[in-house]
Amino acid sequence: MTILLVEDDPVLRDGLAELFSGNGYRVIPAASVREARERLTDEVRMIVLDVGLPDGDGVSLCREWRAAGESRPILFLTARGEEFDVVRGLDSGGNDYVVKPFRMQELLSRVRVLLRDRQAPQQVQRSGFSVDRERMQVLKDGEALPLTLTEYKILTLLMDRPSVVSRDRLLEILWDNGGKYIDDNTLTVHISRLREKVGAEHIRTIRGVGYQWSDTSSAPSSF
């Protein structure tokens, strides 16, 4: 899989290129908006995009690409953790973000999640629910559910798979901004909130293992 890495800091860019290459990815480096436009070829599977670039704004570039029909996942690197910047980035079409300084393994985990999501079935419909991956929404009877980014990731992971999804697998996508795993209790809270939004009968607890999407209306297990 090929990653377009857009980062103007040469030290960080080289470090990330080494990280990705060491984990089996091919890297196309770019240091500016101009180079990013030139090097976004058909072989690229996802884009890691710095927000602050010497000749422009990564968020504006993301918005430009999305307006042109670009659908490959984009992960932002940003030194700004304020809520406004995060919302602006995601509203522009970004799929995820990490705030500098970050841990390399955190970034690698997020890249893996986005690439796995990319390989997941693009059309998923389950008992009145459907996934719109372009807009990162889950719709119930045609109406978009008010999901957070984390809730969207958990729900689509459950809906994509007929088998049980382990708690450990779910915890992989629940990183906080500091680069630490969110604890097991926080996962339970997210599951509880999702049950309120989609209906408790659709998310079953498999004791000692994890959770499973259910198309039936049978009563779910307890937390």
Side-chain angles (χ1 to χ4, degrees):
M1 294 187 184
T2 300
I3 296 173
L4 175 61
L5 172 60
V6 188
E7 168 60 57
D8 65 320
D9 181 333
V11 175
L12 180 56
R13 186 174 62 249
D14 289 348
L16 291 177
E18 182 178 351
L19 172 72
F20 294 145
S21 298
N23 283 272
Y25 301 106
R26 179 173 181 267
V27 178
I28 298 176
S32 65
V33 169
R34 179 184 61 80
E35 290 184 355
R37 291 189 181 119
E38 293 173 350
R39 297 177 185 180
L40 183 62
T41 61
D42 290 342
E43 66 182 305
V44 171
R45 298 296 299 275
M46 77 167 292
I47 303 155
V48 176
L49 177 60
D50 191 14
V51 170
L53 294 167
D55 59 344
D57 179 358
V59 173
S60 298
L61 179 60
C62 176
R63 187 176 292 110
E64 171 192 316
W65 277 336
R66 292 304 192 216
E70 177 57 59
S71 61
R72 284 168 285 192
I74 296 175
L75 184 148
F76 283 115
L77 305 178
T78 176
R80 298 172 295 226
E82 294 83 1
E83 184 178 359
F84 170 77
D85 287 315
V86 170
V87 171
R88 189 169 66 98
L90 297 178
D91 282 349
S92 74
N95 297 87
D96 203 353
Y97 69 95
V98 291
V99 177
K100 300 175 185 177
F102 52 81
R103 297 181 182 180
M104 291 297 194
Q105 291 303 314
E106 173 194 1
L107 176 62
L108 186 60
S109 177
R110 289 178 182 266
V111 165
R112 286 171 174 161
V113 167
L114 288 175
L115 287 172
R116 278 195 295 261
D117 287 347
R118 180 73 176 177
Q119 293 175 315
Q122 294 301 299
Q123 298 295 329
V124 177
Q125 295 186 345
R126 306 287 296 269
S127 53
F129 294 85
S130 60
V131 177
D132 183 341
R133 296 189 192 278
E134 294 296 326
R135 295 179 175 83
M136 297 185 70
Q137 293 178 336
V138 175
L139 294 83
K140 180 179 181 181
D141 298 325
E143 295 291 328
L145 295 171
L147 302 176
T148 66
L149 179 60
T150 297
E151 290 170 346
Y152 169 83
K153 290 180 177 180
I154 294 173
L155 187 56
T156 53
L157 191 64
L158 292 172
M159 292 177 66
D160 284 341
R161 292 159 174 76
S163 58
V164 179
V165 181
S166 70
R167 292 182 71 92
D168 287 344
R169 174 66 188 89
L170 288 169
L171 285 169
E172 285 184 25
I173 67 172
L174 300 181
W175 291 88
D176 67 9
N177 290 340
K180 300 177 182 178
Y181 279 117
I182 291 177
D183 63 31
D184 205 55
N185 290 333
T186 307
L187 173 58
T188 299
V189 171
H190 283 296
I191 293 292
S192 177
R193 290 174 178 168
L194 271 175
R195 283 174 167 153
E196 293 176 358
K197 294 178 180 182
V198 305
E201 70 275 10
H202 290 297
I203 301 178
R204 299 175 55 218
T205 297
I206 309 301
R207 293 187 181 279
V209 182
Y211 300 96
Q212 183 178 28
W213 177 267
S214 174
D215 291 320
T216 69
S217 58
S218 58
S221 305
S222 62
F223 294 178

